[in-house]
């Protein structure tokens, strides 16, 4: 979850913003109303993704060790409805099924992550390497390649071995750098003959801020004002070390690339004629993406972070800045450690200057930035609370990367939208709209000269959505989590994305409109199929719950009442539709 302002000041500002937004955005270059018909460069790679803890399940099978997410999700009150990733999509057992889904869309690449404790159960390589874990990833990679799907592999998507957390404090401790390097080295040794695209870390911003500052994510620590900065410092060093390991030991033989996947919302000044807002918006992006990208491309933290955190630390009576410092040796070691930059992008905020009202006593990453985040209430927000659809922000972020970091090679490693719905809904028109508009803004960015080589829809499947459990669905495919077999059903967006891929872009208005219409037509029959299936599993659940004396009121509601009402409404609307169609004929 990402923060957004929720107090009354923000609401007033939101209204003001609402009235002035129309004039704010008639920039000729970035005319966000227009749609661009055209194609992507030849060889552009289309993909979808997921990550180990979010999809694999099999949390305690075949010798896997515990990760911080296994432990965190088993603690009561940390995750929506106390859900866990114990079985999730059971992707551990469904390699072939999932690859058929990817083939159906004709994906060029699939992005997944390796679970560190699945292959090194304690996190320490010299303790034990788990052969069965290696075997699982071997099979996944082999099957992908047999089906002409390129694996893009993330080494760390948040599931640190629990032992490393308990013994050393996880990313608060510098010793993680060497342990992570050993793990990465093992992956290069075992899989590097076939994997040519490596991502060291996924979204370190979230690891640092949500893991060590707000505590919403594992390991759940609330070390305000220092924890996130320290974690980030070690993550950046670990990234650099792994890049050097690949560069010196493997690159000549394996000829692959090593990058990092950074997430970043775009920050747009509320008032583009106000210098303070412009600076605040720039600060927002620098504290987000720049925090990691600037050291990796230029050798040190953004100047604005050093200035702001440094000044506040002095005001708070501290002898040194809460933002750690790189030595000059470290700076040159870190600078340039990126063969490609992964970008995970979902949304945008309006930003205005705001001094921290709590003054000196407050000490946190958020107040260090001296700004307020706002949203336009007209932006669509079909799913996650933080995720507003603002396609033009994507183009701006991509252009920012181009100008700030010397036009690096970019892979979009995550982009997509969720739905937050009690009822099953395969006819996801809003997701079609989101993909259509965001992918179009990426196309415009490529025409601006941004070097984007590939795009990864997030995500292939509905999956465990961290502290939100299963309540937010990002998948192109719907997963029925109540059914033990975790069957997958295509949403309408599958058909639409497939068309974009087969045309390598957007040919013309008539065709694109046809894709949308056909996709939506097809999904209503899948919806009925699913409703019938769900009715069967609801009946089974009713029997189980009636015989279980410990059944809670909440379980009754989520397992019986909601699905029954949903199934009935899908069936009734199907009957009505048939009736209307008959009358029309
Ligand atoms: C970024 C994370 O990397 C990913 O795991 C998550 O599913 C998306 N954000 C959506 O919240």
């Amino acid at each position: 979850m990402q923060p957004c302002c929720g107090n009354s000041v923000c609401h007033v500002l939101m209204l003001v913003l609402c009235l002035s937004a129309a004039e704010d955005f008639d920039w000729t270059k970035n005319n966000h109303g227009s749609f661009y018909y055209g194609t992507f460069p030849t060889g552009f790679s289309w993909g979808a993704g997921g990550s180990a803890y979010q999809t694999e399940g099999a949390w305690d099978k075949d010798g896997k060790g515990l990760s911080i997410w296994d432990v965190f999700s088993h603690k009561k009150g940390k995750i929506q409805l106390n859900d866990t990733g114990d079985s999730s999509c059971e992707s551990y057992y469904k390699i072939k099924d999932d690859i058929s889904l990817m083939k159906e869309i004709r994906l060029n690449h699939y992005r997944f992550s390796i679970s560190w404790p699945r292959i090194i159960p304690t996190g320490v390589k010299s303790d034990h390497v788990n052969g069965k874990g290696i075997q699982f990833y071997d099979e996944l990679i082999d099957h992908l390649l047999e089906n002409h799907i390129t694996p893009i592999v993330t080494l760390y998507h948040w599931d640190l071995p629990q032992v490393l957390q308990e013994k050393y404090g996880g990313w608060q401790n510098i010793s993680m750098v060497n342990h992570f390097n050993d793990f990465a080295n093992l992956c290069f040794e075992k899989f590097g003959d076939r994997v040519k695209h490596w991502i060291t870390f996924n979204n370190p911003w979230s690891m640092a801020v949500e893991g060590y500052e707000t505590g919403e994510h594992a390991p759940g620590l609330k070390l305000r004002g220092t924890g996130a900065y320290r974690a980030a410092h070690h993550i950046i060093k670990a990234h650099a070390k792994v890049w050097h390991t690949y560069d010196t030991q493997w690159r000549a033989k394996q000829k692959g690339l090593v990058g990092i996947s950074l997430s970043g919302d775009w920050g747009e000044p509320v008032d583009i004629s106000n210098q303070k807002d412009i600076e605040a918006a720039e600060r927002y992006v620098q504290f987000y993406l720049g925090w990691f990208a600037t050291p990796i491309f230029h050798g040190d933290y953004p100047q604005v972070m050093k200035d702001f955190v440094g000044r506040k630390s002095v005001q708070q009576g501290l002898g040194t800045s809460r933002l750690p410092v790189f030595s000059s040796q470290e700076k040159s070691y870190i600078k340039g450690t990126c063969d490609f930059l992964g970008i995970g992008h979902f949304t945008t905020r309006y930003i205005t200057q705001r001094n921290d009202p709590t003054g000196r006593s407050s000490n946190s990453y958020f107040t260090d930035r001296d700004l307020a985040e706002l949203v336009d209430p007209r932006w669509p927000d079909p799913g996650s609370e933080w995720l507003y659809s603002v396609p033009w922000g994507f183009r701006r972020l991509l252009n920012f990367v181009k100008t700030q970091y010397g036009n690096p090679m970019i892979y979009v490693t995550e982009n997509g939208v969720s739905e937050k719905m009690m009822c099953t809904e395969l006819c996801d028109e809003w997701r079609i709209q989101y993909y259509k508009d965001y992918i179009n803004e990426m196309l415009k960015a490529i025409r601006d000269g941004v070097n984007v080589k590939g795009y990864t829809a997030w995500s292939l499947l509905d999956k465990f959505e961290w502290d939100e459990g299963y309540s937010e669905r990002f998948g192109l495919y719907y997963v029925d989590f109540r059914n033990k077999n975790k069957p997958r059903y295509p949403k309408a967006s599958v058909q639409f994305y497939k068309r974009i891929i087969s045309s390598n872009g957007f040919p013309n208005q008539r065709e694109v409109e046809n894709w949308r219409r056909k996709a939506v037509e097809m999904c209503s029959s899948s919806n009925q199929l699913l409703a019938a299936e769900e009715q069967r599993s609801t009946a089974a659940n009713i029997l189980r719950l009636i015989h279980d004396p410990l059944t809670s009121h909440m379980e009754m509601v989520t397992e019986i009442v909601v699905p029954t009402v949903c199934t009935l409404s899908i069936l009734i609307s199907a009957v009505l539709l048939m009736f209307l169609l008959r009358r029309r004929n």
Side-chain angles (χ1 to χ4, degrees):
M1 269 235 310
Q2 296 166 32
C4 175
C5 77
N7 61 28
S8 52
V9 179
C10 294
H11 286 124
V12 172
L13 282 165
M14 260 170 37
L15 284 176
V16 174
L17 173 77
C18 214
L19 298 172
S20 64
E23 297 92 36
D24 285 350
F25 287 100
D26 61 349
W27 293 8
T28 37
K29 187 180 168 213
N30 247 344
N31 180 1
H32 61 276
S34 66
F35 195 86
Y36 178 79
Y37 290 94
T39 50
F40 283 81
T42 316
F44 189 82
S45 190
W46 295 99
S51 79
Y53 188 71
Q54 291 181 281
T55 60
E56 281 177 7
W59 71 294
D60 59 350
K61 295 290 184 303
D62 292 345
K64 175 182 165 295
L66 287 181
S67 81
I68 53 174
W69 271 96
D70 292 314
V71 173
F72 187 72
S73 67
H74 281 108
K75 289 185 184 150
K76 290 274 168 278
K78 301 291 183 195
I79 313 290
Q80 279 266 346
L81 297 175
N82 291 319
D83 275 326
T84 71
D86 291 2
S87 57
S88 189
C89 310
E90 300 276 25
S91 293
Y92 186 71
Y93 302 106
K94 287 178 172 283
I95 291 181
K96 289 196 172 154
D97 297 339
D98 288 344
I99 291 179
S100 318
L101 306 182
M102 298 175 210
K103 280 180 74 179
E104 162 64 24
I105 322 180
R106 308 245 167 81
L107 295 187
N108 305 118
H109 71 257
Y110 178 57
R111 177 181 176 221
F112 65 91
S113 76
I114 294 180
S115 157
W116 182 351
R118 193 176 291 290
I119 68 170
I120 305 178
T122 63
V124 179
K125 189 178 156 204
S126 55
D127 286 350
H128 172 58
V129 172
N130 180 25
K132 287 205 166 148
I134 302 278
Q135 194 187 329
F136 167 69
Y137 294 110
D138 262 336
E139 281 173 21
L140 174 56
I141 293 164
D142 287 344
H143 279 103
L144 285 168
L145 291 172
E146 276 160 26
N147 289 286
H148 311 289
I149 300 170
T150 303
I152 296 191
V153 181
T154 309
L155 290 166
Y156 189 93
H157 202 124
W158 306 355
D159 43 357
L160 185 78
Q162 173 66 11
V163 174
L164 296 181
Q165 189 66 46
E166 277 167 18
K167 264 198 181 163
Y168 304 105
W171 292 103
Q172 289 302 291
N173 194 301
I174 186 72
S175 66
M176 288 309 99
V177 175
N178 286 337
H179 291 306
F180 181 64
N181 186 55
D182 290 346
F183 160 62
N185 209 3
L186 177 68
C187 293
F188 298 150
E189 179 196 325
K190 299 288 182 193
F191 312 122
D193 54 340
R194 289 152 294 157
V195 173
K196 304 299 165 194
H197 296 78
W198 293 101
I199 292 168
T200 52
F201 289 97
N202 173 72
N203 191 350
W205 182 92
S206 229
M207 288 166 63
V209 173
E210 294 175 303
Y212 294 91
E213 172 96 17
T214 67
E216 289 161 288
H217 282 186
L221 300 177
K222 295 180 183 157
L223 310 168
R224 293 225 162 84
T226 56
Y229 295 131
R230 184 172 302 132
H233 203 64
H234 297 147
I235 292 165
I236 293 165
K237 288 186 182 181
H239 160 82
K241 176 143 193 173
V242 166
W243 185 89
H244 281 287
T245 297
Y246 191 82
D247 201 45
T248 53
Q249 297 180 35
W250 302 101
R251 192 189 293 281
K253 198 158 50 162
Q254 300 186 344
K255 303 199 166 44
L257 303 171
V258 177
I260 186 166
S261 174
L262 303 181
S263 71
D265 295 353
W266 177 243
E268 184 72 16
V270 165
D271 177 359
I272 54 164
S273 62
N274 177 338
Q275 188 57 26
K276 285 211 159 20
D277 279 3
I278 293 173
E279 282 166 17
E282 159 104 23
R283 230 166 28 245
Y284 177 78
V285 180
Q286 293 293 4
F287 266 77
Y288 211 137
L289 184 86
W291 182 5
F292 300 91
T294 317
I296 289 169
F297 286 99
H298 300 309
D300 201 359
Y301 291 117
Q303 190 58 43
V304 73
M305 281 188 84
K306 295 197 282 187
D307 291 347
F308 271 63
V309 184
R311 185 165 43 77
K312 294 205 175 218
S313 305
V314 171
Q315 283 166 4
Q316 285 152 0
L318 301 170
T320 52
S321 174
R322 285 181 281 104
L323 185 71
V325 174
F326 292 120
S327 70
S328 51
Q329 251 176 341
E330 286 168 343
K331 286 180 194 167
S332 45
Y333 184 75
I334 292 166
K335 184 175 171 178
T337 54
C338 204
D339 303 324
F340 68 90
L341 180 63
I343 291 286
H345 174 76
F346 293 88
T347 195
T348 282
R349 291 287 180 273
Y350 280 119
I351 304 296
T352 188
Q353 151 79 33
R354 185 170 74 179
N355 288 338
D356 169 25
T358 45
R360 290 164 175 220
S361 58
S362 146
N363 175 352
S364 94
Y365 162 85
F366 294 103
T367 50
D368 281 342
R369 304 172 306 170
D370 275 352
L371 54 85
E373 301 174 37
L374 311 166
V375 296
D376 183 335
R378 292 168 305 179
W379 288 342
D381 60 335
S384 313
E385 210 189 315
W386 53 270
L387 207 172
Y388 294 83
S389 174
V390 194
W392 50 261
F394 192 19
R395 181 181 181 184
R396 294 186 190 197
L397 182 76
L398 290 171
N399 271 288
F400 176 90
V401 169
K402 174 183 164 226
T403 47
Q404 292 267 322
Y405 312 118
N407 204 9
M409 185 200 290
I410 295 176
Y411 278 83
V412 173
T413 40
E414 287 184 19
N415 177 242
V417 67
S418 55
E419 71 236 28
K420 199 172 206 160
M421 247 187 266
M422 292 286 222
C423 289
T424 310
E425 181 50 279
L426 299 179
C427 300
D428 54 347
E429 280 195 78
W430 69 91
R431 184 172 286 107
I432 290 180
Q433 191 66 39
Y434 181 99
Y435 276 130
K436 179 178 164 225
D437 292 341
Y438 271 76
I439 292 174
N440 199 247
E441 292 298 318
M442 174 174 70
L443 178 57
K444 291 179 192 169
I446 291 175
R447 287 177 51 84
D448 297 335
V450 184
N451 188 14
V452 188
K453 294 289 186 201
Y455 173 86
T456 313
W458 194 262
S459 47
L460 181 72
L461 305 174
D462 289 340
K463 57 191 173 354
F464 180 81
E465 196 46 50
W466 309 114
D467 51 326
E468 301 298 339
Y470 296 97
S471 67
E472 294 179 6
R473 293 171 173 270
F474 275 84
L476 290 163
Y477 283 89
Y478 177 91
V479 178
D480 181 0
F481 292 109
R482 286 198 305 259
N483 183 325
K484 264 183 75 181
N485 297 322
K486 313 294 167 93
R488 285 83 157 122
Y489 298 85
K491 300 181 191 172
S493 47
V494 166
Q495 287 307 319
F496 191 80
Y497 187 41
K498 187 176 163 178
R499 300 282 177 199
I500 297 181
I501 296 176
S502 65
S503 304
N504 198 30
F506 306 96
N508 59 59
Q509 190 173 3
R510 200 165 45 91
E511 229 172 298
V512 174
E513 185 42 39
N514 256 342
W515 297 348
R516 196 197 58 78
R517 204 174 30 78
K518 284 199 187 134
V520 175
E521 267 165 27
M522 273 176 73
C523 71
S524 71
S525 53
S526 321
N527 242 1
Q528 285 168 45
L529 190 79
L530 177 55
E533 275 296 323
E534 291 200 322
Q535 209 179 20
R536 265 195 289 280
S537 56
T538 306
N541 275 345
I542 292 174
L543 286 177
R544 183 176 57 78
L545 294 177
I546 285 174
H547 288 116
D548 179 356
L550 297 178
T551 299
S552 67
H553 178 70
M554 194 60 197
E555 264 180 300
M556 279 286 192
V557 173
T558 57
E559 300 283 317
I560 300 177
V561 181
V562 170
T564 307
V565 172
C566 290
T567 308
L568 283 176
S569 55
I570 289 176
L571 292 178
I572 290 169
S573 55
V575 169
L576 275 176
L577 192 71
M578 270 166 47
F579 177 73
L580 286 175
L581 286 175
R582 281 225 180 111
R583 279 192 52 170
R584 232 179 44 187
N585 296 335

